[in-house]
Amino acid sequence: MSDTDGKKTLGLRGGPRSGQVKQSFSHGRTKNVVVETKRKRVVMPKAAAGATAGAAAVAATPKADPSKRPAGISDAELERRMKALASAKAREAEEAETREAEEKARAEDREKRKAEIEAKEREEQEREERAKAKAEEDERKQREAEVAKVNAAPAAPADPAAAAAPRGGAPKPAPTRKDREREDREKPKTAGRDDSRRTGKLTLNQALRGGEGGRQRSMAAMKRKQERARQKAMGGPVEREKVVRNVNLPELITVQELANRMAERVADVVKSLMTNGIMATQNQSIDADTAELIIEEFGHKVVRVSDADVEDVIQAVEDDDKDLQDRPPVITVMGHVDHGKTSLLDAIRKAKVVSGEAGGITQHIGAYQVDQGGMKMTFLDTPGHAAFTSMRARGAQVTDIVVLVVAADDAVMPQTVEAIRHAQAAEVPMIIAINKMDHPEANPDKVRTDLLQYEVIVEKMSGDVQDVEVSALKGTGLDQLLEAISLQSEILELKANPDRAASGAVIEAQLDVGRGPVATVLVQNGTLRTGDIFVVGEQWGKVRALIDDKGDRVKEAGPSVPVEVLGLNGTPEAGDVLNVVDTEAQAREIAEYREAAAKDKRAAAGAATSLEQLMANAKADEDVSELPILVKADVQGSAEAIVQAMEKIGNDEVRVRVLHSGVGAITESDVGLAEASGAPVIGFNVRANASARNTANQKGVEIRYYSVIYDLVDDVKAAASGLLSAEVREKFIGYATIKEVFKVSGVGMVAGCLVTEGVARRSAGVRLLRDDVVIHEGTLKTLKRFKDEVPEVQSGQECGMAFEKYEDIREGDVIEIFEREEVERSLS
């Protein structure tokens, strides 16, 4: 018994029209399917016209015979059905009339267009015939002139017309219009047919030529073809006119960028390259000669540019006076070591910065913004040690006002003189802040008198340099200092245009674990926003985040605002200029060009110009002893300053040579380089990772750690000059990892630790490391094993540690335990 036995085919009233459709499947299988076409039920709107027509139809229709009506249908229902039927008929009649009118209008339109096209063709044909007749007439006149010329010549034996005729007959006459029409009729009907169906397999040549015989056209391609045919029939433009562009072509360019500059599809450019025998993807680079062939093939014009032209996108914009707005002043605080620069900033910012610095010395350039009575001021805090002279000079280049801090009890010192020289060279106005007025030995008049010999004449000495007596410790005189800064900034009339592409200077740069390369940038012009693409020195990037001096994320930074910029592809040099560009390709090109230029410059500087100079240098080096070292620091500015300080150490007999300097933790590759060169590794505020420590122990490479720069300089000076007196050397006795942090009443924050290496002693010194960077150095308050205070804890055991006057400890930090001992040094 089949599934269809005793069942009727489903359908609707109104008589479905049925038929059969044959379906084809793979492997030659077919199937016949019964298809029914259902009539759609028409629901008429209750319109006045329809109601009137229905009423008329019902009035004209005789009342139906009750014996012939369906069962259960009342007179009212029958009347309503008759009205609906009449309305449907009336609507169908109206629609038929509308269709006829539209068909008639379309037919007239087609006839009109056809007549216009035929008229155009007739005009074109007549014009061609006139041009051809004119050409034949000119040719006939020319032949007659040649014949007359030949007849006039006495030695002309033959008729030139006969010579011009084809061999064996007279010249062939030009075809007439009837001949052309006969030829058109005799042409095969298949000639000129555009067969859109494609058969056969697609070959590589057909794919490259874009010819027939490949895949079936997509629906989009068919629609585009129909649209072109319709536009051609309507007499409109079939294709857009091609735009010829001037394409800037550097020495090397990627296929993707070439397609973008030509405004062509990447697939078309790749296909053109394949046709020319070059297999390249969109991310691969091609040389300028190959790119020039492709550009000419696409019909564009080539504009060759040199490598240096890539920097032309960074244009020096001349701002209109109407676009300039007031900007905050940039104040650089300078002075001698321990004269109270950072303490003065603390008092102004009402914060504590100096407490976290080793030896009371600012190790990095810090940038802060202070809001004073509605007026914002940007302060740059520069280190005071002489080794940071270049960083202080760099700070003076971006500053508007220099606040020179001089201790009233110490007067003018050598680094105070250096700061004066930097400010005078940069032509920046100075304000003298005479600090430590609360000290019993304070003598501000001596400071004013000492400044006279350096051409600094203060107002109390009838000069034009403002001087203010302050005390950072007591907080006195700060209002007068800020008023002096405000007055000086008003005189300078500092303005900038915030509505342009941003540019600024890098104050400091470092490689941060977890965040990558981070640069502290002081914006000088324009507004730097999140998402901007920029180039800075030999690096480039896209602004991923902006962090202000308070540690908060901001979306933009205007002129004179210091921010930390995240999103660089490498660590720039402190002092590099940041410029915002339009595209990543421009930024990448500029950075690559600068990197190549810097590499060539270094290579040229290191190469001797002649053989005589090489011989002289080799002879001079015979008598000079070198002390090679490797330097790793936490930030770029510190590494630069250490390298410059090392270059100044030495005389005719001994000198220091820095093999390598970098930013970040000491790695195994650094230890390998030090072993090959017999050099120690100097770590400034960084530590070696575990693999580097193990390798150093195995290879016997010395790793020295410093947190105060003059200790480093003094040690290297002593080693280089042979002053090998007894020194205090640190001996590392253990490492511990913080597993958990507890808060104990009466004690504070206690770290639950596991001693991973060596031993932990109560009497030893400790350092707290976070991501191999020194966070704190001090002593232990307590060392406990379970609940008992113990003198030491062995490796592999757990213990509790609390630091003296420090509680910023986190899970995962590493504690370094060390002891200091005096040893005798010997210079090999």
Side-chain angles (χ1 to χ4, degrees):
M1 182 175 182
S2 64
D3 295 338
T4 59
D5 289 345
K7 295 182 182 179
K8 294 184 178 180
T9 305
L10 292 178
L12 296 175
R13 295 180 181 176
R17 296 189 299 272
S18 63
Q20 286 191 345
V21 175
K22 186 176 182 180
Q23 288 185 329
S24 298
F25 299 95
S26 61
H27 303 293
R29 294 183 294 115
T30 59
K31 180 181 178 182
N32 291 329
V33 180
V34 178
V35 178
E36 291 186 359
T37 304
K38 314 294 185 182
R39 289 190 60 186
K40 187 182 294 185
R41 184 177 180 183
V42 180
V43 180
M44 296 301 299
K46 296 181 179 180
T52 306
V58 170
T61 305
K63 194 170 183 181
D65 188 2
S67 61
K68 295 183 179 180
R69 73 177 66 175
I73 299 298
S74 62
D75 294 341
E77 179 67 21
L78 182 61
E79 185 176 353
R80 282 196 298 272
R81 292 191 180 187
M82 298 303 293
K83 286 182 179 179
L85 181 61
S87 299
K89 290 182 178 179
R91 187 167 179 272
E92 288 179 359
E94 292 176 1
E95 290 179 352
E97 293 177 0
T98 305
R99 281 196 301 272
E100 289 177 2
E102 291 177 353
E103 288 291 340
K104 186 176 180 181
R106 281 196 292 269
E108 291 176 355
D109 192 15
R110 282 196 297 271
E111 291 295 332
K112 184 179 179 181
R113 288 199 300 270
K114 186 176 179 182
E116 291 176 354
I117 292 171
E118 290 178 353
K120 288 181 181 179
E121 290 179 353
R122 282 196 301 272
E123 291 176 0
E124 184 69 23
Q125 192 172 0
E126 290 174 359
R127 189 163 53 249
E128 290 177 358
E129 290 178 355
R130 286 195 298 270
K132 185 171 290 187
K134 185 178 179 182
E136 292 175 356
E137 183 67 21
D138 293 341
E139 187 178 356
R140 186 180 60 78
K141 289 180 179 180
Q142 186 178 359
R143 283 201 303 270
E144 290 177 355
E146 290 177 356
V147 170
K149 186 177 180 181
V150 171
N151 292 333
D159 188 3
R167 187 178 301 173
K172 186 178 180 181
T176 62
R177 180 180 176 183
K178 292 183 178 180
D179 295 337
R180 287 196 301 271
E181 290 179 354
R182 185 174 63 254
E183 290 177 359
D184 293 339
R185 286 195 301 269
E186 292 175 355
K187 283 183 180 179
K189 295 182 179 180
T190 57
R193 180 188 298 172
D194 183 16
D195 189 5
S196 61
R197 294 179 299 171
R198 300 180 179 183
T199 59
K201 294 183 179 180
L202 181 66
T203 63
L204 181 59
N205 290 333
Q206 289 171 341
L208 293 178
R209 291 196 307 268
E212 299 295 330
R215 298 168 296 178
Q216 292 292 331
R217 284 192 178 185
S218 63
M219 291 297 296
M222 296 297 293
K223 287 180 180 178
R224 288 195 296 268
K225 182 179 179 182
Q226 292 173 359
E227 181 67 18
R228 288 194 295 268
R230 189 181 66 82
Q231 289 183 356
K232 185 176 181 180
M234 294 287 290
V238 178
E239 292 183 359
R240 291 183 300 174
E241 185 178 353
K242 186 174 182 64
V243 179
V244 178
R245 291 177 169 81
N246 294 328
V247 181
N248 291 333
L249 183 60
E251 294 300 321
L252 210 63
I253 189 171
T254 62
V255 177
Q256 173 79 53
E257 181 62 21
L258 179 62
N260 293 341
R261 294 187 181 187
M262 293 191 299
E264 303 285 352
R265 295 194 310 167
V266 180
D268 295 339
V269 178
V270 173
K271 184 186 293 185
S272 179
L273 286 167
M274 291 173 65
T275 307
N276 287 279
I278 300 171
M279 300 297 174
T281 62
Q282 62 180 2
N283 297 323
Q284 289 181 344
S285 298
I286 56 176
D287 59 273
D289 295 334
T290 305
E292 184 174 356
L293 292 175
I294 301 302
I295 293 170
E296 291 176 350
E297 187 173 325
F298 279 91
H300 300 291
K301 295 180 180 178
V302 180
V303 180
R304 285 287 191 120
V305 295
S306 65
D307 291 342
D309 293 340
V310 297
E311 297 215 31
D312 291 344
V313 297
I314 303 176
Q315 300 175 353
V317 180
E318 293 293 336
D319 296 317
D320 294 335
D321 293 338
K322 61 181 180 181
D323 297 330
L324 298 178
Q325 300 179 15
D326 294 334
R327 67 170 177 85
V330 181
I331 303 103
T332 301
V333 183
M334 293 184 175
H336 191 71
V337 173
D338 202 28
H339 274 203
K341 300 181 299 300
T342 306
S343 300
L344 185 61
L345 266 179
D346 282 348
I348 294 174
R349 298 175 60 221
K350 296 180 176 59
K352 290 296 177 184
V353 176
V354 72
S355 59
E357 294 178 346
I361 296 177
T362 304
Q363 305 295 340
H364 317 128
I365 290 183
Y368 318 101
Q369 196 164 41
V370 177
D371 193 344
Q372 184 66 27
M375 179 181 179
K376 290 188 176 181
M377 302 177 183
T378 301
F379 286 90
L380 300 183
D381 184 14
T382 60
H385 195 271
F388 282 76
T389 300
S390 62
M391 294 173 65
R392 185 164 57 237
R394 190 176 297 132
Q397 290 171 1
V398 298
T399 192
D400 302 315
I401 302 170
V402 168
V403 173
L404 183 63
V405 180
V406 186
D409 61 343
D410 206 9
V412 177
M413 300 299 287
Q415 291 169 11
T416 310
V417 179
E418 291 177 8
I420 293 172
R421 297 287 182 248
H422 287 308
Q424 290 174 343
E427 299 181 354
V428 177
M430 280 190 297
I431 298 175
I432 309 299
I434 304 175
N435 194 19
K436 300 187 179 182
M437 288 301 298
D438 58 309
H439 203 278
E441 300 177 1
N443 188 0
D445 292 333
K446 183 178 183 302
V447 174
R448 297 185 180 98
T449 306
D450 289 350
L451 290 173
L452 290 174
Q453 56 184 319
Y454 303 108
E455 302 177 2
V456 178
I457 306 171
V458 299
E459 290 180 343
K460 288 192 177 181
M461 296 284 186
S462 302
D464 56 354
V465 178
Q466 300 183 75
D467 65 309
V468 183
E469 297 179 1
V470 297
S471 171
L473 188 62
K474 302 294 184 181
T476 58
L478 300 181
D479 293 337
Q480 290 83 352
L481 178 61
L482 294 174
E483 286 177 5
I485 295 172
S486 177
L487 176 62
Q488 188 66 57
S489 64
E490 288 179 5
I491 294 173
L492 294 175
E493 296 182 353
L494 303 171
K495 294 181 180 296
N497 181 12
D499 302 322
R500 52 167 285 187
S503 64
V506 176
I507 302 300
E508 188 51 85
Q510 60 183 344
L511 185 63
D512 194 334
V513 178
R515 296 193 301 172
V518 180
T520 303
V521 176
L522 178 68
V523 181
Q524 294 175 295
N525 278 306
T527 302
L528 186 64
R529 297 179 175 85
T530 304
D532 282 350
I533 299 167
F534 62 90
V535 59
V536 50
E538 300 174 22
Q539 312 297 334
W540 68 279
K542 184 176 182 180
V543 179
R544 195 170 74 238
L546 296 173
I547 301 174
D548 62 7
D549 57 320
K550 301 179 185 64
D552 301 328
R553 286 205 174 197
V554 294
K555 293 184 178 179
E556 59 182 27
S560 300
V561 177
V563 286
E564 278 190 339
V565 179
L566 278 68
L568 294 97
N569 72 325
T571 307
E573 302 287 335
D576 285 341
V577 178
L578 180 144
N579 293 100
V580 173
V581 296
D582 295 332
T583 63
E584 289 187 9
Q586 291 177 348
R588 190 184 297 108
E589 283 184 7
I590 295 170
E592 289 175 354
Y593 164 70
R594 289 179 177 176
E595 184 178 3
K599 189 180 296 184
D600 295 342
K601 187 176 180 181
R602 288 192 293 267
T609 56
S610 65
L611 183 60
E612 289 77 9
Q613 288 184 356
L614 275 173
M615 297 290 289
N617 292 338
K619 188 173 181 181
D621 291 343
E622 287 180 358
D623 302 328
V624 178
S625 299
E626 285 188 343
L627 175 63
I629 61 171
L630 270 80
V631 177
K632 293 298 288 288
D634 54 345
V635 293
Q636 186 70 35
S638 301
E640 287 182 12
I642 293 170
V643 171
Q644 291 179 7
M646 295 299 102
E647 291 174 352
K648 295 177 182 178
I649 297 174
N651 51 24
D652 295 338
E653 298 179 1
V654 65
R655 68 185 176 197
V656 178
R657 183 162 63 98
V658 180
L659 298 175
H660 171 68
S661 65
V663 177
I666 299 170
T667 61
E668 197 170 354
S669 61
D670 297 328
V671 176
L673 178 59
E675 182 205 0
S677 308
V681 181
I682 305 295
F684 186 77
N685 270 342
V686 296
R687 288 295 181 271
N689 55 36
S691 60
R693 287 199 303 268
N694 296 335
T695 306
N697 292 334
Q698 294 173 4
K699 306 293 185 181
V701 176
E702 183 182 13
I703 301 178
R704 291 197 176 193
Y705 300 127
Y706 294 92
S707 57
V708 178
I709 192 169
Y710 54 73
D711 288 345
L712 187 157
V713 175
D714 293 342
D715 280 1
V716 176
K717 273 184 180 179
S721 61
L723 300 177
L724 304 176
S725 58
E727 69 164 358
V728 177
R729 181 173 294 180
E730 292 178 358
K731 178 183 177 182
F732 300 106
I733 60 175
Y735 287 90
T737 304
I738 298 177
K739 296 299 184 183
E740 288 188 56
V741 179
F742 310 93
K743 187 171 183 180
V744 179
S745 58
V747 181
M749 303 301 293
V750 177
C753 306
L754 174 65
V755 180
T756 58
E757 186 177 337
V759 63
R761 289 199 180 99
R762 170 73 176 80
S763 58
V766 290
R767 287 192 185 93
L768 184 66
L769 308 181
R770 187 172 298 158
D771 294 330
D772 290 329
V773 176
V774 178
I775 303 299
H776 172 71
E777 179 178 343
T779 58
L780 289 178
K781 184 194 299 184
T782 178
L783 177 65
K784 288 190 176 184
R785 174 85 173 137
F786 298 106
K787 294 185 178 181
D788 302 324
E789 188 80 20
V790 293
E792 66 179 33
V793 178
Q794 298 296 325
S795 175
Q797 296 180 351
E798 296 181 346
C799 62
M801 295 185 189
F803 291 84
E804 193 78 35
K805 297 180 181 179
Y806 191 81
E807 295 188 351
D808 183 17
I809 53 179
R810 301 180 189 174
E811 183 179 345
D813 289 352
V814 176
I815 300 173
E816 182 183 81
I817 306 104
F818 62 93
E819 288 181 345
R820 290 187 173 93
E821 58 181 0
E822 287 189 0
V823 296
E824 293 294 331
R825 294 184 297 173
S826 60
L827 183 62
S828 56

